[in-house]
Amino acid sequence: MVMVDDIPFPPQITTTKPLSLLGHGITDIEIHFLQIKFTAIGVYIDPVILTHLQKWKGKSGTDLAEDDDFFDCIISAPVDKYLRIVAIKEIKGSQYGVQLESSVRDRLAADDKYEEEEEAALEQIVEFFQSKYFKKDSVITFSFPAASNFVEIGFSSEGKEEPKVIKVENGNVVEMIKKWYLGGTTAYSPSTISSLANTLSLELSK
């Protein structure tokens, strides 16, 4: 197991095929000099991603972390990607849903892609999280299959029951969720981006 802030993440998970843990980090804020951690994040990607990233071979992790083209390539590469997000601090699902919605909406609006279909897809996500409560160790997952424009979002609390899942099929919304977590310098968790850059720099140098 790989420990991310005392939370165990398996080094590999299998969706349609085995995916490797290539990056991890946390989301946090600082209030009055106190660091408050909200979630731990694991980014799982099909190792075949490396064939799509060869032009960055030889670059350091520090350089890659600053290179948004590199992360755009990760986002658009036709390989399976999977995010596993574990709650460190209890929060209401509605808070998380609204945060995701506003971030994705702002990104869509900036690209002039926010229409009724996108609004409906975001409402579906907000509604899904509305009734949930993220106890410590609750797990949120985002599964992005390789050659498709949808995401399956799952939620399970304390790992007891079967995860509840919704499928979101708006390609623009799906792309911006990926960008929220994997979008290089504009992503939600800089520690995750840095970890992903360092791991891929190392893998590319092999």
Side-chain angles (χ1 to χ4, degrees):
M1 285 287 183
V2 176
M3 301 305 284
V4 183
D5 220 82
D6 296 338
I7 292 172
F9 280 76
Q12 204 179 52
I13 56 162
T14 301
T15 50
T16 52
K17 53 175 77 162
L19 307 182
S20 301
L21 179 63
L22 294 182
H24 51 77
I26 58 164
T27 58
D28 61 346
I29 56 169
E30 203 174 276
I31 298 176
H32 305 308
F33 306 109
L34 277 180
Q35 183 195 28
I36 298 174
K37 299 171 185 176
F38 288 105
T39 60
I41 300 166
V43 179
Y44 293 84
I45 304 178
D46 183 342
V48 88
I49 185 86
L50 294 170
T51 61
H52 297 273
L53 302 173
Q54 287 304 309
K55 72 180 242 196
W56 286 278
K57 201 177 175 70
K59 296 263 190 211
S60 71
T62 315
D63 286 346
L64 292 179
E66 299 291 321
D67 187 340
D68 285 348
D69 289 343
F70 176 70
F71 286 94
D72 284 346
C73 189
I74 293 173
I75 288 166
S76 61
V79 303
D80 286 4
K81 302 171 192 90
Y82 185 94
L83 302 173
R84 183 173 184 266
I85 295 148
V86 182
I88 297 173
K89 183 175 170 51
E90 294 193 7
I91 61 163
K92 289 179 180 157
S94 55
Q95 280 175 279
Y96 178 81
V98 166
Q99 192 179 20
L100 185 152
E101 178 202 30
S102 64
S103 179
V104 169
R105 188 181 52 218
D106 289 350
R107 287 168 188 265
L108 287 166
D111 282 3
D112 225 2
K113 289 180 178 171
Y114 187 63
E115 305 289 340
E116 280 176 20
E117 293 86 355
E118 285 72 31
E119 187 178 0
L122 282 172
E123 272 174 19
Q124 183 193 358
I125 296 172
V126 169
E127 212 165 278
F128 176 71
F129 284 117
Q130 189 67 44
S131 57
K132 314 280 185 282
Y133 187 76
F134 295 6
K135 296 183 179 139
K136 187 173 168 13
D137 298 331
S138 300
V139 178
I140 307 120
T141 58
F142 292 86
S143 181
F144 303 98
S148 68
N149 258 351
F150 69 82
V151 59
E152 281 188 347
I153 304 175
F155 173 79
S156 60
S157 177
E158 300 171 337
K160 292 191 184 82
E161 78 275 19
E162 275 299 290
K164 296 172 180 57
V165 176
I166 56 161
K167 189 171 177 177
V168 178
E169 303 193 61
N170 180 293
N172 289 332
V173 166
V174 171
E175 185 194 6
M176 294 308 174
I177 294 174
K178 287 182 196 170
K179 286 194 168 175
W180 192 41
Y181 274 109
L182 303 173
T185 57
T186 64
Y188 179 39
S189 164
S191 56
T192 305
I193 293 299
S194 169
S195 162
L196 205 48
N198 287 328
T199 305
L200 288 167
S201 167
L202 202 61
E203 291 296 322
L204 284 165
S205 68
K206 285 179 181 172

